[in-house]
Amino acid sequence: MASKKSASSRSGSAVSALRAGKSAGKSAGGSGHGPSLWENTKAVLFTVAVFLVVRTFLLEAYRIPSGSMIPTLLIGDWLFVNKLAYGPHVPFTAINLPGYDDPERGDVVVFVSPNQVDQPDDPTPTLVKRLVAVGGDTVWMRGGLFYLNGLPQRQGFAASQNPKGDGGFSHPLFLWQKPFEVKGTAAGDPPAQPTLDDWGPLVVPPGMLFMLGDNRYDSKDGRYWGFVPRENVRGRPVFVYYSYRADESDRPLPFLTDIRWGRIGDIIR
């Protein structure tokens, strides 16, 4: 009789465990249900791998820290950059994979700057500027107006409203231009000392690109550090996905309280 009671008791315990959603062969503290630690680890590693692939080869976020591209881009804009367009760069190597497009004059481009000797703490920052000339082009400025292959390239109305600065400003960094200067063009001979508003003509070497900021008097661009190798290009900004008044807000926590709602979703041209 004792054995029957014991069996009955065990049977009742098993039924109770099943009704409670437990296995009769597992203790209440067992790990028979739910993902294991290894399964959780695999899920996290897979998520990280997908993120790294997307960030390296497809899309990356980029923040605008300066006013060099006003009015196209504002301080506090956050952009999605298409890295696949011009060919993604393989990190920690000198390898660039093929893209489906080539940088063209007029494109806004993200790139690694040529060496900037005046800022040893960050000599090759990642920048965003406008591509204004490619290999073989002849470029110059006179009176602040940019010329490409002899044709004046007037900026649009919005950019023309940017504040004007000292066009006669010169800097020793401008002297990189001297080996690339040409004489006898329609622009006349290059000035003895290049300035912000008057420099060139220069011929862009093959495989090189020339960049300027849209905010010409507040942009440290190709006039200072020269031509950009094609392999330094990292992507093409697509649109603004977030923007706030990072430089002019008087509100607390401006990234939450002073958002530029009207800029979110703007296509970059």
Side-chain angles (χ1 to χ4, degrees), residues 235-251:
R236 178 170 60 199
V238 182
F239 65 91
V240 177
Y241 73 88
Y242 182 71
S243 181
Y244 73 99
R245 292 177 175 82
D247 60 327
E248 57 187 7
S249 178
D250 57 0
R251 300 181 184 179

Side-chain angles (χ1 to χ4, degrees), residues 26-33:
K26 303 284 184 180
S27 67
S31 56
H33 290 274

Side-chain angles (χ1 to χ4, degrees), residues 43 77 86:
D77 281 353
Y86 301 141

Side-chain angles (χ1 to χ4, degrees), residues 22-193:
K22 300 174 184 176
S23 171
K26 303 284 184 180
S27 67
S31 56
H33 290 274
S36 67
L37 177 61
W38 172 235
E39 289 171 333
N40 284 330
T41 301
K42 286 194 296 183
V44 170
L45 292 176
F46 177 76
T47 302
V48 170
V50 170
F51 168 77
L52 291 176
V53 168
V54 170
R55 185 179 184 276
T56 301
F57 300 107
L58 301 177
L59 288 173
E60 185 173 2
Y62 183 85
R63 179 180 64 89
I64 299 300
S66 77
S68 68
M69 284 294 291
I70 293 173
T72 306
L73 301 171
L74 306 181
I75 300 173
D77 281 353
W78 287 80
L79 323 173
F80 272 135
V81 177
N82 180 349
K83 303 183 79 171
L84 188 61
Y86 301 141
H89 176 76
V90 180
F92 312 113
T93 73
I95 300 173
N96 285 342
L97 301 179
Y100 61 82
D101 205 354
D102 283 315
E104 297 181 355
R105 303 180 193 92
D107 285 354
V108 177
V109 176
V110 174
F111 60 95
V112 175
S113 168
N115 187 56
Q116 300 195 33
V117 297
D118 61 319
Q119 48 185 67
D121 292 340
D122 188 18
T124 56
T126 299
L127 303 175
V128 57
K129 304 288 181 186
R130 191 173 297 279
L131 170 59
V132 295
V134 299
D137 287 339
T138 301
V139 294
W140 68 85
M141 261 188 169
R142 291 294 181 267
L145 181 59
F146 176 69
Y147 287 80
L148 172 67
N149 298 324
L151 299 176
Q153 307 295 305
R154 300 186 184 278
Q155 292 183 280
F157 174 78
S160 69
Q161 301 305 300
N162 284 336
K164 301 295 188 290
D166 178 11
F169 172 77
S170 187
H171 195 283
L173 290 176
F174 294 171
L175 294 179
W176 71 266
Q177 300 176 20
K178 288 298 182 181
F180 301 97
E181 291 179 343
V182 292
K183 298 181 178 180
T185 70
D189 291 341
Q193 177 62 51

